[in-house]
Amino acid sequence: MTERVVLAYSGGLDTSVAIPYLTERTGAEVVAVAVDVGQGGEDLGLIRERALACGAAVAEVVDAREEFARDFCLPALRANALYMDRYPLVSALSRPLIVKHLVAAARKHGGTIVSHGCTGKGNDQVRFEVGIGALAPELTVVAPARDYAWTRDKAIAYAEEAGLPIDVSHRSPYSIDQNLWGRAVETGFLEDIWTAPIEGVYAYTADPARPRQPDEVVITFEAGVPVAVDGARLGPYQVIMELNRRAGAAGVGRLDLVEDRLVGIKSREVYEAPGAIALITAHQELENVTVERDLARFKRGVDQRWAELVYDGLWFSPLKGALDAFIDDAQRFVTGEVRLVLHGGRAVVTGRRSDASLYDFGLATYDTGDIFDQSLARGFVELWGLPSRLAAARDRRFS
Ligand code: ARG
Protein backbone atom coordinates (compact mmCIF):
# COMPACT_ATOMS: atom_id res chain seq x y z
CA MET A 1 0.00 0.00 0.00
CA THR A 2 1.18 3.51 -0.76
CA GLU A 3 2.41 5.43 2.24
CA ARG A 4 0.49 8.50 3.30
CA VAL A 5 1.84 11.82 4.47
CA VAL A 6 -0.41 14.10 6.49
CA LEU A 7 0.29 17.72 5.61
CA ALA A 8 -0.59 20.71 7.77
CA TYR A 9 -2.21 22.68 4.98
CA SER A 10 -2.95 26.42 5.06
CA GLY A 11 -4.19 26.88 1.51
CA GLY A 12 -1.33 29.27 0.77
CA LEU A 13 1.36 29.03 -1.86
CA ASP A 14 3.97 27.14 0.11
CA THR A 15 1.83 24.32 1.44
CA SER A 16 -0.07 24.04 -1.87
CA VAL A 17 3.15 23.48 -3.77
CA ALA A 18 4.22 21.09 -1.03
CA ILE A 19 1.47 18.67 -2.11
CA PRO A 20 2.93 17.59 -5.48
CA TYR A 21 6.44 18.15 -4.21
CA LEU A 22 5.99 15.82 -1.23
CA THR A 23 4.52 13.17 -3.49
CA GLU A 24 7.53 13.51 -5.77
CA ARG A 25 10.08 13.35 -2.96
CA THR A 26 8.54 10.70 -0.73
CA GLY A 27 6.37 8.66 -3.08
CA ALA A 28 3.59 9.01 -0.52
CA GLU A 29 0.02 10.17 -1.08
CA VAL A 30 -0.83 13.46 0.56
CA VAL A 31 -3.59 13.88 3.12
CA ALA A 32 -4.04 17.65 3.42
CA VAL A 33 -5.48 18.91 6.70
CA ALA A 34 -6.55 22.52 7.13
CA VAL A 35 -7.53 23.63 10.61
CA ASP A 36 -9.68 26.67 11.27
CA VAL A 37 -8.37 28.34 14.42
CA GLY A 38 -10.23 31.56 13.71
CA GLN A 39 -7.67 32.92 11.25
CA GLY A 40 -10.43 34.25 9.02
CA GLY A 41 -9.69 34.76 5.35
CA GLU A 42 -10.68 32.19 2.81
CA ASP A 43 -13.59 29.80 2.95
CA LEU A 44 -12.48 26.36 4.12
CA GLY A 45 -14.41 24.70 1.31
CA LEU A 46 -12.28 26.55 -1.24
CA ILE A 47 -9.14 25.58 0.61
CA ARG A 48 -10.19 21.95 0.53
CA GLU A 49 -10.84 22.08 -3.21
CA ARG A 50 -7.45 23.67 -3.81
CA ALA A 51 -5.72 20.88 -1.93
CA LEU A 52 -7.45 18.31 -4.13
CA ALA A 53 -6.66 20.32 -7.26
CA CYS A 54 -3.00 20.32 -6.26
CA GLY A 55 -3.06 16.55 -6.09
CA ALA A 56 -3.96 15.63 -2.53
CA ALA A 57 -5.48 12.15 -2.21
CA VAL A 58 -7.55 13.28 0.75
CA ALA A 59 -8.34 16.80 1.94
CA GLU A 60 -9.93 17.55 5.28
CA VAL A 61 -10.97 20.81 6.83
CA VAL A 62 -11.54 21.02 10.55
CA ASP A 63 -13.51 23.79 12.20
CA ALA A 64 -11.63 23.91 15.49
CA ARG A 65 -12.57 27.45 16.48
CA GLU A 66 -14.59 26.53 19.57
CA GLU A 67 -12.05 23.94 20.64
CA PHE A 68 -9.24 26.45 20.20
CA ALA A 69 -11.07 29.04 22.26
CA ARG A 70 -12.06 26.65 25.05
CA ASP A 71 -9.06 24.36 25.35
CA PHE A 72 -6.19 26.63 24.34
CA CYS A 73 -7.05 30.34 24.65
CA LEU A 74 -8.89 30.01 27.97
CA PRO A 75 -6.08 28.10 29.69
CA ALA A 76 -3.70 30.80 28.45
CA LEU A 77 -5.98 33.45 29.92
CA ARG A 78 -6.22 31.65 33.26
CA ALA A 79 -2.40 31.58 33.26
CA ASN A 80 -2.25 35.27 32.23
CA ALA A 81 0.20 33.87 29.72
CA LEU A 82 2.60 36.49 28.36
CA TYR A 83 5.98 35.31 27.08
CA MET A 84 8.70 37.81 28.04
CA ASP A 85 5.93 39.56 29.98
CA ARG A 86 4.35 40.76 26.76
CA TYR A 87 3.59 38.26 23.99
CA PRO A 88 0.30 36.38 24.49
CA LEU A 89 1.48 33.17 22.71
CA VAL A 90 -0.75 33.50 19.68
CA SER A 91 1.09 31.05 17.40
CA ALA A 92 2.38 28.92 20.23
CA LEU A 93 -1.21 28.14 21.26
CA SER A 94 -2.45 27.04 17.86
CA ARG A 95 0.33 24.54 17.14
CA PRO A 96 -0.60 21.92 19.73
CA LEU A 97 -4.21 22.07 18.54
CA ILE A 98 -3.14 21.58 14.93
CA VAL A 99 -0.93 18.72 16.08
CA LYS A 100 -3.94 16.98 17.67
CA HIS A 101 -5.83 17.14 14.40
CA LEU A 102 -2.85 16.02 12.30
CA VAL A 103 -2.42 13.01 14.53
CA ALA A 104 -6.16 12.23 14.35
CA ALA A 105 -6.01 12.44 10.55
CA ALA A 106 -2.96 10.18 10.44
CA ARG A 107 -4.82 7.57 12.48
CA LYS A 108 -7.98 7.89 10.38
CA HIS A 109 -6.31 7.80 6.97
CA GLY A 110 -3.37 5.53 7.65
CA GLY A 111 -0.71 8.24 7.60
CA THR A 112 2.83 7.36 8.68
CA ILE A 113 4.50 10.70 7.97
CA VAL A 114 3.51 14.19 9.03
CA SER A 115 4.62 17.30 7.18
CA HIS A 116 4.58 21.01 7.98
CA GLY A 117 5.73 24.15 6.22
CA CYS A 118 7.97 25.58 8.93
CA THR A 119 11.56 26.56 8.34
CA GLY A 120 14.47 25.41 10.46
CA LYS A 121 14.88 28.81 12.11
CA GLY A 122 11.69 29.23 14.08
CA ASN A 123 9.78 27.96 17.07
CA ASP A 124 6.92 26.40 15.17
CA GLN A 125 8.91 23.43 13.84
CA VAL A 126 9.70 22.61 17.47
CA ARG A 127 6.08 22.93 18.57
CA PHE A 128 4.84 20.68 15.75
CA GLU A 129 7.44 18.01 16.14
CA VAL A 130 7.67 17.87 19.91
CA GLY A 131 3.86 17.75 20.01
CA ILE A 132 3.71 14.92 17.47
CA GLY A 133 6.41 13.07 19.37
CA ALA A 134 4.32 13.28 22.52
CA LEU A 135 1.01 12.19 20.96
CA ALA A 136 2.17 9.79 18.25
CA PRO A 137 5.86 8.88 18.54
CA GLU A 138 5.47 6.33 15.73
CA LEU A 139 5.01 9.07 13.11
CA THR A 140 7.98 10.51 11.25
CA VAL A 141 8.18 14.14 10.17
CA VAL A 142 9.28 15.85 7.01
CA ALA A 143 9.50 19.63 6.70
CA PRO A 144 10.21 20.55 3.06
CA ALA A 145 11.31 24.13 3.78
CA ARG A 146 13.88 22.86 6.24
CA ASP A 147 14.73 19.33 5.11
CA TYR A 148 14.75 19.92 1.34
CA ALA A 149 15.88 23.58 1.49
CA TRP A 150 12.65 24.49 -0.25
CA THR A 151 12.34 28.26 -0.73
CA ARG A 152 9.57 30.60 -1.77
CA ASP A 153 11.22 31.28 -5.16
CA LYS A 154 11.53 27.57 -5.82
CA ALA A 155 7.89 27.11 -4.81
CA ILE A 156 6.75 29.78 -7.27
CA ALA A 157 8.82 28.34 -10.11
CA TYR A 158 7.51 24.87 -9.31
CA ALA A 159 3.90 26.07 -9.17
CA GLU A 160 4.19 27.78 -12.56
CA GLU A 161 5.92 24.83 -14.15
CA ALA A 162 3.39 22.33 -12.82
CA GLY A 163 0.50 24.67 -13.71
CA LEU A 164 -0.89 24.50 -10.20
CA PRO A 165 -4.17 26.37 -9.65
CA ILE A 166 -2.73 28.88 -7.22
CA ASP A 167 -2.25 32.59 -7.47
CA VAL A 168 1.45 33.39 -7.19
CA SER A 169 1.06 37.11 -7.89
CA HIS A 170 -0.07 38.31 -4.46
CA ARG A 171 3.11 38.04 -2.48
CA SER A 172 2.84 39.57 0.94
CA PRO A 173 6.12 41.14 2.03
CA TYR A 174 5.45 39.72 5.49
CA SER A 175 5.20 36.36 7.14
CA ILE A 176 1.90 36.42 8.97
CA ASP A 177 0.33 33.98 11.37
CA GLN A 178 -3.07 34.78 12.78
CA ASN A 179 -5.81 33.16 14.77
CA LEU A 180 -8.55 33.94 17.25
CA TRP A 181 -6.06 34.92 19.97
CA GLY A 182 -4.10 37.40 17.85
CA ARG A 183 -1.87 38.06 14.91
CA ALA A 184 1.89 37.91 14.36
CA VAL A 185 3.73 39.73 11.57
CA GLU A 186 7.40 39.43 10.77
CA THR A 187 10.01 39.77 8.00
CA GLY A 188 10.15 42.38 5.25
CA PHE A 189 11.21 45.83 6.39
CA LEU A 190 10.45 44.84 9.99
CA GLU A 191 13.77 42.98 10.03
CA ASP A 192 15.40 46.39 10.48
CA ILE A 193 14.61 46.70 14.16
CA TRP A 194 14.98 50.49 14.17
CA THR A 195 12.27 50.94 11.53
CA ALA A 196 8.82 51.57 12.95
CA PRO A 197 5.87 49.46 11.78
CA ILE A 198 3.57 51.17 9.30
CA GLU A 199 -0.20 51.25 9.77
CA GLY A 200 -0.59 48.71 6.95
CA VAL A 201 1.02 46.02 9.08
CA TYR A 202 -2.04 45.89 11.32
CA ALA A 203 -5.35 44.17 10.65
CA TYR A 204 -6.94 43.39 14.04
CA THR A 205 -6.52 46.87 15.52
CA ALA A 206 -7.34 50.43 14.51
CA ASP A 207 -4.75 53.17 14.91
CA PRO A 208 -4.82 53.97 18.66
CA ALA A 209 -3.97 57.61 17.89
CA ARG A 210 -7.15 58.07 15.89
CA PRO A 211 -9.64 60.12 17.92
CA ARG A 212 -12.47 57.99 19.22
CA GLN A 213 -14.87 57.84 22.16
CA PRO A 214 -13.78 55.63 25.07
CA ASP A 215 -15.60 52.30 25.14
CA GLU A 216 -16.63 50.92 28.54
CA VAL A 217 -17.05 47.17 28.84
CA VAL A 218 -17.90 44.85 31.72
CA ILE A 219 -16.55 41.30 31.61
CA THR A 220 -17.99 38.59 33.86
CA PHE A 221 -15.81 35.68 34.95
CA GLU A 222 -16.72 32.38 36.58
CA ALA A 223 -13.77 30.45 38.04
CA GLY A 224 -11.39 32.32 35.78
CA VAL A 225 -13.46 31.81 32.63
CA PRO A 226 -15.04 34.83 30.91
CA VAL A 227 -18.72 34.02 30.49
CA ALA A 228 -20.41 37.33 29.66
CA VAL A 229 -19.73 40.71 28.09
CA ASP A 230 -21.90 43.60 29.30
CA GLY A 231 -24.20 41.06 30.90
CA ALA A 232 -24.81 39.08 27.71
CA ARG A 233 -23.76 35.46 28.18
CA LEU A 234 -21.41 34.23 25.47
CA GLY A 235 -19.37 31.09 24.82
CA PRO A 236 -15.57 31.30 24.86
CA TYR A 237 -15.21 31.81 21.11
CA GLN A 238 -17.83 34.57 21.10
CA VAL A 239 -16.33 36.35 24.11
CA ILE A 240 -12.92 36.50 22.45
CA MET A 241 -14.41 37.61 19.12
CA GLU A 242 -16.41 40.35 20.81
CA LEU A 243 -13.37 41.67 22.66
CA ASN A 244 -11.22 41.47 19.54
CA ARG A 245 -13.78 43.69 17.89
CA ARG A 246 -14.20 46.23 20.67
CA ALA A 247 -10.66 46.36 21.99
CA GLY A 248 -9.38 46.24 18.41
CA ALA A 249 -11.44 49.33 17.53
CA ALA A 250 -9.67 51.15 20.38
CA GLY A 251 -6.24 50.04 19.16
CA VAL A 252 -5.62 47.84 22.21
CA GLY A 253 -3.02 45.07 22.11
CA ARG A 254 -0.40 46.24 19.64
CA LEU A 255 3.06 45.02 20.42
CA ASP A 256 6.46 45.49 18.77
CA LEU A 257 8.97 43.13 20.31
CA VAL A 258 12.42 41.66 19.79
CA GLU A 259 11.92 38.22 21.24
CA ASP A 260 14.09 35.30 22.24
CA ARG A 261 13.27 32.30 20.11
CA LEU A 262 13.86 28.84 21.45
CA VAL A 263 16.46 28.18 18.72
CA GLY A 264 18.59 31.01 20.10
CA ILE A 265 17.85 33.68 17.49
CA LYS A 266 16.54 37.07 18.52
CA SER A 267 13.80 38.14 16.15
CA ARG A 268 11.56 41.14 15.74
CA GLU A 269 7.87 40.46 15.66
CA VAL A 270 4.90 42.80 15.54
CA TYR A 271 1.80 41.47 17.23
CA GLU A 272 -1.74 42.56 17.77
CA ALA A 273 -3.94 40.74 20.24
CA PRO A 274 -6.72 43.10 21.30
CA GLY A 275 -9.07 40.56 22.85
CA ALA A 276 -6.28 38.65 24.57
CA ILE A 277 -4.77 41.77 26.14
CA ALA A 278 -8.15 43.13 27.28
CA LEU A 279 -9.10 39.76 28.79
CA ILE A 280 -5.76 39.20 30.51
CA THR A 281 -5.89 42.73 31.94
CA ALA A 282 -9.36 42.09 33.38
CA HIS A 283 -8.53 38.59 34.60
CA GLN A 284 -5.37 39.70 36.38
CA GLU A 285 -7.31 42.36 38.24
CA LEU A 286 -10.02 39.92 39.28
CA GLU A 287 -7.27 37.68 40.63
CA ASN A 288 -5.94 40.65 42.58
CA VAL A 289 -9.33 40.90 44.27
CA THR A 290 -10.09 37.21 44.82
CA VAL A 291 -6.81 35.31 45.21
CA GLU A 292 -5.07 35.17 48.58
CA ARG A 293 -1.72 36.96 48.65
CA ASP A 294 0.67 34.01 48.90
CA LEU A 295 -1.23 31.99 46.33
CA ALA A 296 -1.20 35.01 44.01
CA ARG A 297 2.53 35.54 44.46
CA PHE A 298 3.27 31.91 43.75
CA LYS A 299 0.94 31.88 40.77
CA ARG A 300 2.83 34.73 39.12
CA GLY A 301 5.85 32.44 38.93
CA VAL A 302 3.71 29.56 37.70
CA ASP A 303 2.15 31.79 35.05
CA GLN A 304 5.54 32.81 33.73
CA ARG A 305 6.77 29.21 33.63
CA TRP A 306 3.55 28.10 31.94
CA ALA A 307 4.04 30.69 29.21
CA GLU A 308 7.66 29.65 28.70
CA LEU A 309 6.74 25.96 28.45
CA VAL A 310 4.05 26.66 25.89
CA TYR A 311 6.30 29.03 23.94
CA ASP A 312 9.00 26.36 23.95
CA GLY A 313 6.72 23.72 22.41
CA LEU A 314 6.06 21.75 25.61
CA TRP A 315 2.25 21.93 25.64
CA PHE A 316 1.99 18.15 26.10
CA SER A 317 4.69 17.92 28.79
CA PRO A 318 4.20 16.59 32.33
CA LEU A 319 5.21 19.90 33.92
CA LYS A 320 2.71 21.85 31.83
CA GLY A 321 0.00 19.35 32.86
CA ALA A 322 0.88 19.68 36.52
CA LEU A 323 0.89 23.48 36.33
CA ASP A 324 -2.57 23.30 34.73
CA ALA A 325 -3.82 21.44 37.78
CA PHE A 326 -2.36 24.12 40.05
CA ILE A 327 -3.88 26.91 37.97
CA ASP A 328 -7.28 25.18 37.97
CA ASP A 329 -7.27 25.08 41.73
CA ALA A 330 -6.14 28.70 41.97
CA GLN A 331 -9.07 29.78 39.78
CA ARG A 332 -11.81 28.44 42.06
CA PHE A 333 -12.78 31.87 43.39
CA VAL A 334 -11.88 33.99 40.37
CA THR A 335 -15.52 34.85 39.88
CA GLY A 336 -16.95 38.33 39.45
CA GLU A 337 -16.95 41.32 37.17
CA VAL A 338 -14.35 43.74 35.91
CA ARG A 339 -15.07 47.01 34.14
CA LEU A 340 -12.58 48.19 31.54
CA VAL A 341 -12.32 51.37 29.55
CA LEU A 342 -10.90 50.74 26.08
CA HIS A 343 -9.31 53.85 24.71
CA GLY A 344 -6.21 55.10 22.92
CA GLY A 345 -4.60 51.68 22.69
CA ARG A 346 -5.09 50.86 26.35
CA ALA A 347 -7.44 48.66 28.33
CA VAL A 348 -7.73 50.29 31.75
CA VAL A 349 -9.50 48.71 34.70
CA THR A 350 -11.91 51.12 36.38
CA GLY A 351 -13.98 48.80 38.57
CA ARG A 352 -14.27 45.29 39.96
CA ARG A 353 -16.81 43.40 42.09
CA SER A 354 -17.06 39.85 43.32
CA ASP A 355 -18.99 37.80 45.87
CA ALA A 356 -15.71 35.96 46.45
CA SER A 357 -13.78 39.19 47.03
CA LEU A 358 -11.10 39.30 49.70
CA TYR A 359 -11.20 43.08 49.68
CA ASP A 360 -12.67 44.20 53.00
CA PHE A 361 -13.84 47.80 53.08
CA GLY A 362 -13.79 47.83 56.87
CA LEU A 363 -10.11 46.85 56.89
CA ALA A 364 -9.07 49.08 54.02
CA THR A 365 -10.87 52.32 54.82
CA TYR A 366 -9.16 55.40 56.23
CA ASP A 367 -12.56 56.87 57.09
CA THR A 368 -14.99 56.09 59.87
CA GLY A 369 -16.02 52.45 59.84
CA ASP A 370 -12.38 51.34 60.20
CA ILE A 371 -12.32 47.96 61.99
CA PHE A 372 -8.58 47.40 61.67
CA ASP A 373 -6.87 47.38 65.07
CA GLN A 374 -3.77 49.47 64.40
CA SER A 375 -2.31 48.71 67.82
CA LEU A 376 -1.55 45.16 66.58
CA ALA A 377 0.70 46.53 63.84
CA ARG A 378 3.36 47.73 66.28
CA GLY A 379 4.29 44.23 67.49
CA PHE A 380 4.06 42.85 63.97
CA VAL A 381 6.54 45.38 62.63
CA GLU A 382 8.86 44.68 65.55
CA LEU A 383 8.99 40.94 64.84
CA TRP A 384 9.04 41.32 61.08
CA GLY A 385 12.14 43.48 61.30
CA LEU A 386 13.90 41.31 63.93
CA PRO A 387 16.12 39.30 61.51
CA SER A 388 17.24 42.49 59.74
CA ARG A 389 18.08 44.18 63.03
CA LEU A 390 20.09 41.18 64.24
CA ALA A 391 22.03 40.99 60.98
CA ALA A 392 22.68 44.72 60.88
CA ALA A 393 24.01 44.65 64.46
CA ARG A 394 26.35 41.75 63.56
CA ASP A 395 27.57 43.61 60.43
CA ARG A 396 28.44 46.62 62.57
CA ARG A 397 30.51 44.46 64.96
CA PHE A 398 32.61 43.15 62.07
CA SER A 399 33.05 46.39 60.18
N1 ARG B 1 7.35 34.46 17.03
C1 ARG B 1 6.05 33.94 17.29
C2 ARG B 1 6.15 32.63 17.99
O1 ARG B 1 7.16 31.99 17.95
C3 ARG B 1 5.20 33.86 16.05
C4 ARG B 1 5.64 32.85 15.02
C5 ARG B 1 4.90 32.92 13.71
N2 ARG B 1 4.99 34.24 13.18
C6 ARG B 1 4.85 34.62 11.93
N3 ARG B 1 4.85 35.89 11.70
N4 ARG B 1 4.75 33.79 10.94
O2 ARG B 1 5.19 32.19 18.61
Side-chain angles (χ1 to χ4, degrees), residues 266-295:
K266 284 190 186 287
S267 73
R268 196 262 192 104
E269 192 103 46
V270 172
Y271 297 104
E272 42 184 350
I277 294 302
L279 282 163
I280 290 172
T281 302
H283 177 261
Q284 277 175 329
E285 181 62 6
L286 191 59
E287 287 193 332
N288 291 345
V289 174
T290 56
V291 180
E292 181 274 332
R293 181 184 61 179
D294 252 336
L295 179 55

Side-chain angles (χ1 to χ4, degrees), residues 87 91-92 123-124 127 175-177 184 186 259 269 271 311:
Y87 163 48
S91 305
N123 297 312
D124 287 328
R127 296 167 184 152
S175 161
I176 299 171
D177 185 47
E186 64 179 339
E259 85 189 25
E269 192 103 46
Y271 297 104
Y311 184 89

Side-chain angles (χ1 to χ4, degrees), residues 22-183:
L22 276 170
T23 308
E24 195 180 299
R25 290 291 297 235
T26 64
E29 289 180 342
V30 174
V31 177
V33 179
V35 185
D36 187 352
V37 287
Q39 65 269 40
E42 274 189 309
D43 178 73
L44 283 189
L46 285 176
I47 290 180
R48 184 171 178 278
E49 278 166 31
R50 186 173 309 131
L52 294 171
C54 289
V58 180
E60 274 197 356
V61 292
V62 185
D63 180 355
R65 290 174 298 173
E66 295 286 350
E67 181 188 8
F68 182 56
R70 184 186 65 236
D71 298 342
F72 294 83
C73 300
L74 290 189
L77 171 61
R78 287 149 62 93
N80 302 309
L82 297 171
Y83 179 66
M84 294 174 72
D85 294 329
R86 293 177 72 203
Y87 163 48
L89 299 180
V90 174
S91 305
L93 290 176
S94 72
R95 303 314 178 208
L97 168 73
I98 295 169
V99 162
K100 278 177 78 174
H101 289 284
L102 293 175
V103 167
R107 301 225 158 107
K108 184 167 152 199
H109 300 290
T112 51
I113 311 169
V114 171
S115 182
H116 61 72
C118 307
T119 72
K121 294 176 72 170
N123 297 312
D124 287 328
Q125 57 171 342
V126 183
R127 296 167 184 152
F128 275 118
E129 293 175 35
V130 173
I132 288 161
L135 297 188
E138 68 281 7
L139 298 175
T140 56
V141 177
V142 49
R146 179 191 64 193
D147 304 338
Y148 306 147
W150 188 239
T151 63
R152 197 135 243 257
D153 291 337
K154 282 194 211 169
I156 291 170
Y158 191 100
E160 279 169 347
E161 204 175 304
L164 293 179
I166 38 183
D167 183 3
V168 295
S169 60
H170 294 301
R171 288 181 65 181
S172 164
Y174 311 115
S175 161
I176 299 171
D177 185 47
Q178 63 188 46
N179 61 48
L180 177 68
W181 202 234
R183 187 165 173 275

Side-chain angles (χ1 to χ4, degrees), residues 76 79 81 89 302-310 315 320 324 327:
L89 299 180
V302 168
D303 288 350
Q304 189 184 337
R305 196 73 188 91
W306 193 97
E308 287 166 355
L309 289 168
V310 172
W315 180 273
K320 149 75 171 49
D324 279 331
I327 292 170

